[in-house]
């Protein structure tokens, strides 16, 4: 059975007391910050009275935002460590309410700033040199001029922020706290509680009956609640389409990508490139069936490793291997990794009520914490280096940049994490000569590429399709979502939807569909990371220095410009083709090993 949180040893729990020493301290800051928001009122209508006024109001807004982020992070992580605790559900709700109040308090800022004349703008920058720090920040606002509304309209939208986020929160509570999955049998024939945390490890079983039972048990629950999940997802899509419409964007996708100054062509190029290379995925799926000796391959056969090599890592072994692998990035990077591993930045093991999956979090004034649900698998080693990549990105950015540029765009977020994954793959392949172990590593890489580039692009196609459908007046019923998802799944995997009926409900369990066009960035990020890892492992010190500069850049420049400086042009499809070339090269080696080892 999954442990209760109090049964987990302290050393394996993150130390959130470094954010607020006690819950009372958090509550006191909540009260203080709520009161301090009233300071914004004196600047409403007076933002552009003088350069001094603009500077003071800007610094007040950023200072309050900085405090709010810290408050939110504590509540968010306390809630995630056990989503059943009413106290932290309340903390999280209060922090979200305060976010709405903050947005309302400063709803005057953008509309007023956008009335500035070019001459006045230049004069202000000359009059007060402290404003120069915020020039890139101001320039980004000016680029959004046609999408910013009147102050009253901005106030109304800000006030509805909590309501707009309700669909995603409802999904999260239903999926993590209320839904209880049935008991299933593991490989030893023991009854175990099926959870989000152990689903993949059960699906990796070499016993096909275990895989099938687990798969069908999971999706029976989603089938049972499909209409509720459809309603939460439809509501979320409507919110994004509504926001885009009122802000004068042609679509929710345009609005979402504009936030990162990424043209929609980057998204379309990804989908186009992946669709062109689907024959590679079909080739790998056919090889998987051949190795497993299965004539009737099903979706529940997708996760079981093809290797019978016992290539596992305990958590402590994974820490050591991660440090060894990431040392290629230099002594400073490695020291930061060791600090994260030794100073309780990581919440390691699954417990009852804990949020599923893994992430890196924190704010400008906190550690870059990581949430895991550790299992002793090769996949979890990759998860550890992935989340460590995020946390090191955060560490470098926060230390190097002022608060105004002290985080990074979502578009850049997945690149640092997947670069670490690619470096790990390179290292393992470089040091392992044994054919059976190489087989296991290549199997992991190919499955990881399938899960990141192909699968996340499948998600991206689905996400864009449902937003377009809603925009066209289509009702997103569970029947509509099931059919669309089943057809996409068949296109990607080449497996008939009629023979894989449970997969039609998979959309219901994907939290990222509530993240507003996030998933495509896993794919673009992995492809860009493939190029960067090649430079880091096989290139020059200059290549490694450029990579560290990317980690330090934060929001000090536009995302695509930051990547160009790092050595990857993401508006050119060449980086995608290069990633597929790596996949094909490793698939070729894998096929050769299959023949050599007589695995067919």
């Amino acid at each position: 059975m999954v442990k209760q949180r109090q049964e987990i040893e302290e050393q394996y729990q993150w130390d959130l007391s470094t954010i607020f020493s006690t819950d009372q301290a958090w509550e006191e800051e909540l009260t203080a910050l709520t009161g301090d928001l009233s300071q914004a009122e004196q600047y409403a209508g007076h933002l552009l009275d003088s350069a001094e006024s603009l500077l003071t109001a800007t610094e007040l807004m950023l200072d309050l935002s900085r405090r709010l982020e810290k408050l939110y992070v504590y509540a968010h992580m306390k809630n995630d460590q056990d989503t059943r605790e009413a106290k932290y559900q309340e903390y999280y709700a209060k922090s979200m309410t305060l976010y709405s109040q903050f947005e309302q308090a400063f709803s005057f800022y953008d509309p007023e700033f956008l009335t500035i004349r070019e001459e006045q703008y230049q004069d202000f920058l000359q009059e007060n040199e402290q404003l120069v720090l915020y020039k890139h920040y101001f320039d980004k606002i000016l680029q959004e001029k046609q999408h910013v509304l009147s102050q009253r309209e901005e106030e109304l939208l800000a006030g509805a922020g909590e309501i707009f986020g309700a669909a995603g929160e409802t999904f999260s509570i239903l999926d993590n706290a209320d839904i209880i999955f049935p008991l299933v049998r593991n490989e030893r024939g023991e009854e175990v509680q099926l959870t989000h945390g152990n689903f993949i490890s059960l699906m990796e079983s070499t016993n096909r009956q275990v895989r099938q039972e687990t798969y069908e048990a999971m999706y029976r629950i989603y089938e049972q609640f499909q209409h509720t999940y459809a309603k939460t997802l439809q509501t979320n899509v409507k919110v994004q389409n509504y926001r885009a419409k009122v802000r004068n964007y042609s679509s929710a996708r345009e609005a979402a990508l504009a936030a990162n100054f990424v043209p929609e062509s980057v998204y379309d190029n990804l989908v186009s490139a992946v669709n062109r290379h689907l024959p590679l995925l079909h080739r790998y799926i056919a090889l998987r069936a051949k190795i497993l000796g299965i004539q009737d391959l099903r979706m529940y056969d997708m996760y079981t490793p093809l290797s019978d090599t016992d290539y596992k890592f305990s958590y402590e072994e994974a820490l050591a291997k991660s440090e060894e692998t990431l040392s290629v990035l230099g002594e400073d990077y490695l020291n930061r990794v060791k600090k994260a591993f030794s100073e309780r930045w990581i919440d390691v093991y699954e417990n009852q009520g804990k949020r599923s999956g893994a992430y890196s979090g924190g704010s400008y004034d906190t550690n870059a914490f990581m949430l895991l649900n550790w299992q002793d698998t090769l996949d979890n080693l990759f998860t550890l280096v992935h989340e460590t990549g995020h946390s090191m990105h955060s560490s470098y950015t926060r230390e190097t940049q002022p608060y105004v540029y002290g985080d990074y765009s979502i578009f850049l977020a997945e690149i640092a994490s997947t670069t670490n994954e690619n470096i790990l793959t390179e290292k393992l392949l470089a040091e392992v000569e044994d054919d059976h172990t190489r087989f296991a590593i290549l199997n992991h890489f190919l499955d990881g590429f399938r899960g990141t580039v192909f699968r996340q692009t499948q998600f991206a196609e689905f996400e864009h399709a449902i937003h377009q459908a809603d925009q066209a007046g289509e009702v997103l019923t569970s029947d509509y979502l099931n059919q669309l998802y089943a057809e996409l799944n068949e296109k990607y995997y080449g497996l008939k939807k009629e023979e894989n009926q449970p997969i039609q409900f998979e959309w219901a369990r994907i939290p990222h569909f509530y993240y507003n066009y996030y998933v495509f960035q896993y794919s673009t990020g992995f492809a860009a990371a493939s190029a960067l890892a090649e430079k880091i492992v096989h290139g020059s010190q200059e290549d490694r220095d450029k990579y560290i500069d990317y980690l330090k850049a934060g929001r000090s420049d536009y995302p695509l410009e930051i990547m160009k400086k790092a050595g990857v042009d993401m508006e050119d499809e060449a980086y995608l083709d290069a990633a597929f070339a790596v996949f094909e090269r490793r698939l070729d080696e894998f096929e050769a090993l299959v023949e050599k080892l007589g695995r067919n």
Side-chain angles (χ1 to χ4, degrees):
M1 293 293 289
V2 177
K3 290 183 177 181
Q4 298 293 334
R5 185 158 186 86
Q6 59 268 27
E7 298 176 280
I8 305 287
E9 291 180 58
E10 187 179 79
Q11 64 178 328
Y12 299 118
Q13 297 182 34
W14 51 23
D15 182 9
L16 301 186
S17 68
T18 59
I19 309 177
F20 288 99
S21 57
T22 62
D23 287 351
Q24 183 181 348
W26 183 91
E27 290 172 4
E28 289 171 356
E29 172 64 352
L30 177 74
T31 301
L33 185 53
T34 302
D36 289 346
L37 287 182
S38 63
Q39 295 177 40
E41 294 174 7
Q42 62 187 299
Y43 297 101
H46 301 284
L47 183 69
L48 301 179
D49 283 1
S50 64
E52 183 67 28
S53 177
L54 176 60
L55 176 66
T56 308
T58 301
E59 291 185 337
L60 172 67
M61 179 175 68
L62 292 171
D63 177 63
L64 295 178
S65 172
R66 184 171 173 173
R67 290 168 59 192
L68 177 53
E69 281 184 10
K70 186 178 176 183
L71 200 75
Y72 166 81
V73 159
Y74 183 84
H76 168 58
M77 293 199 213
K78 279 286 192 180
N79 184 51
D80 281 354
Q81 68 189 27
D82 189 344
T83 59
R84 303 168 303 172
E85 285 202 41
K87 178 180 183 179
Y88 297 122
Q89 288 178 16
E90 182 182 349
Y91 276 24
Y92 182 67
K94 284 180 175 178
S95 68
M96 292 302 292
T97 298
L98 195 57
Y99 256 113
S100 291
Q101 292 170 351
F102 171 83
E103 289 176 356
Q104 282 180 274
F106 286 96
S107 59
F108 69 88
Y109 188 95
D110 284 6
E112 281 192 40
F113 181 76
L114 286 169
T115 65
I116 198 167
R117 303 182 314 281
E118 177 62 24
E119 183 182 358
Q120 183 184 23
Y121 181 42
Q122 296 303 328
D123 286 346
F124 277 8
L125 291 174
Q126 288 184 357
E127 285 174 28
N128 194 321
E129 62 181 20
Q130 289 176 272
L131 281 174
V132 175
L133 171 65
Y134 304 105
K135 186 177 185 304
H136 181 62
Y137 176 75
F138 293 148
D139 287 348
K140 288 193 293 183
I141 297 174
L142 291 170
Q143 287 193 43
E144 294 295 295
K145 187 167 187 173
Q146 62 180 313
H147 305 294
V148 176
L149 309 177
S150 70
Q151 181 178 340
R152 178 57 181 155
E153 289 168 329
E154 290 290 347
E155 285 177 1
L156 290 171
L157 277 180
E162 202 172 352
I163 300 168
F164 287 158
E169 289 183 41
T170 302
F171 164 83
S172 181
I173 291 170
L174 174 64
D175 208 53
N176 290 302
D178 289 347
I179 291 291
I180 298 175
F181 296 104
L183 296 171
V184 295
R185 293 191 180 277
N186 63 19
E187 284 186 332
R188 294 181 294 277
E190 303 162 339
E191 279 199 331
V192 295
Q193 178 77 54
L194 177 59
T195 68
H196 288 296
N198 67 13
F199 174 65
I200 295 299
S201 61
L202 287 164
M203 291 297 292
E204 290 174 342
S205 170
T206 55
N207 185 324
R208 198 180 192 205
Q209 187 175 340
V210 169
R211 301 198 300 268
Q212 182 176 356
E213 181 184 344
T214 300
Y215 179 80
E216 292 176 351
M218 171 70 76
Y219 286 112
R220 268 199 308 274
I221 298 299
Y222 285 102
E223 181 178 11
Q224 180 183 349
F225 292 98
Q226 61 179 300
H227 304 297
T228 302
Y229 281 108
K231 193 62 180 176
T232 59
L233 184 55
Q234 179 189 43
T235 302
N236 183 71
V237 169
K238 284 187 175 298
V239 165
Q240 303 308 338
N241 278 339
Y242 175 76
R243 279 176 155 167
K245 182 179 179 181
V246 299
R247 289 199 177 280
N248 304 311
Y249 287 102
S250 63
S251 68
R253 187 178 75 169
E254 184 192 15
L257 270 61
N260 290 313
F261 300 91
V262 173
E264 289 185 274
S265 60
V266 171
Y267 197 109
D268 289 330
N269 287 346
L270 170 71
V271 174
S272 173
V274 169
N275 274 268
R276 277 201 322 275
H277 289 93
L278 282 178
L280 285 176
L281 178 58
H282 296 162
R283 183 175 142 199
Y284 178 54
I285 299 302
L287 184 63
R288 171 172 279 275
K290 186 178 179 182
I291 295 168
L292 291 173
I294 296 174
Q295 299 295 322
D296 58 337
L297 194 78
R298 298 287 186 263
M299 287 303 297
Y300 53 76
D301 299 314
M302 287 298 144
Y303 290 95
T304 185
L306 301 173
S307 169
D308 52 11
T309 302
D310 187 21
Y311 200 44
K312 292 180 178 291
F313 294 83
S314 69
Y315 178 64
E316 279 70 22
E317 289 169 340
L319 294 179
K321 177 57 72 175
S322 298
E323 290 179 11
E324 181 188 342
T325 298
L326 298 174
S327 63
V328 70
L329 286 162
E331 187 177 351
D332 183 65
Y333 190 99
L334 180 59
N335 288 337
R336 290 168 191 264
V337 170
K338 288 179 176 178
K339 183 176 181 180
F341 288 176
S342 64
E343 295 186 6
R344 291 179 59 198
W345 290 21
I346 308 176
D347 205 76
V348 182
Y349 294 109
E350 182 182 13
N351 57 254
Q352 291 280 352
K354 184 176 175 181
R355 181 194 188 278
S356 63
Y359 67 71
S360 167
S363 73
Y364 189 81
D365 293 306
T366 74
N367 294 327
F369 293 99
M370 293 174 248
L371 178 140
L372 304 175
N373 282 277
W374 183 264
Q375 307 281 330
D376 290 345
T377 64
L378 178 62
D379 189 59
N380 272 232
L381 168 63
F382 274 87
T383 298
L384 175 61
V385 297
H386 178 104
E387 301 306 339
T388 300
H390 283 308
S391 289
M392 294 305 100
H393 194 183
S394 298
S395 173
Y396 272 107
T397 293
R398 292 167 188 166
E399 185 177 298
T400 308
Q401 298 295 335
Y403 175 74
V404 66
Y405 307 127
D407 65 350
Y408 39 83
S409 75
I410 291 172
F411 183 73
L412 296 182
E414 295 305 328
I415 295 172
S417 53
T418 44
T419 295
N420 277 13
E421 288 193 59
N422 278 274
I423 292 171
L424 177 58
T425 299
E426 290 269 0
K427 177 166 182 60
L428 294 176
L429 287 173
E431 69 186 15
V432 171
E433 295 181 1
D434 174 70
D435 285 341
H436 293 279
T437 308
R438 286 188 73 79
F439 183 96
I441 296 163
L442 287 166
N443 176 199
H444 184 274
F445 169 78
L446 295 168
D447 277 343
F449 194 103
R450 173 189 62 79
T452 304
V453 179
F454 287 111
R455 178 173 164 82
Q456 299 297 331
T457 305
Q458 177 190 345
F459 287 173
E461 275 207 66
F462 177 79
E463 181 174 23
H464 190 45
I466 60 178
H467 280 81
Q468 288 180 307
D470 175 73
Q471 201 171 14
E474 184 73 50
V475 179
L476 302 183
T477 63
S478 58
D479 285 347
Y480 179 87
L481 297 168
N482 293 342
Q483 182 178 343
L484 173 63
Y485 197 87
E487 289 172 354
L488 268 175
N489 197 79
E490 182 175 302
K491 178 177 80 168
Y492 271 73
Y493 289 90
L495 302 178
K496 293 179 180 177
K497 58 180 182 290
E498 293 82 9
E499 297 174 354
N500 292 276
Q501 291 197 353
I503 200 64
Q504 68 184 308
F505 305 112
E506 186 176 44
W507 60 266
R509 59 177 281 257
I510 308 300
H512 292 76
F513 289 147
Y514 297 83
Y515 294 4
N516 193 21
Y517 284 92
Y518 189 105
V519 289
F520 88 98
Q521 294 157 129
Y522 284 114
S523 305
T524 55
F526 192 98
S530 179
L532 289 170
E534 190 81 13
K535 292 172 182 287
I536 290 165
V537 176
H538 303 293
S540 64
Q541 185 59 45
E542 183 184 0
D543 291 320
R544 290 184 278 278
D545 290 343
K546 283 182 179 179
Y547 181 74
I548 298 298
D549 286 344
Y550 143 72
L551 296 180
K552 293 177 177 178
R555 290 186 184 269
S556 62
D557 202 347
Y558 297 106
L560 294 180
E561 292 305 311
I562 290 171
M563 288 310 301
K564 282 178 184 175
K565 291 174 187 174
V568 180
D569 184 353
M570 298 186 71
E571 291 183 272
D572 187 332
E573 281 190 52
Y575 83 99
L576 294 164
D577 292 333
F580 284 109
V582 173
F583 180 83
E584 186 168 14
R585 186 172 75 242
R586 289 183 177 159
L587 180 57
D588 289 342
E589 182 183 351
F590 192 62
E591 287 174 330
L593 277 176
V594 170
E595 296 296 327
K596 183 178 180 181
L597 297 172
R599 291 297 306 273
N600 53 327

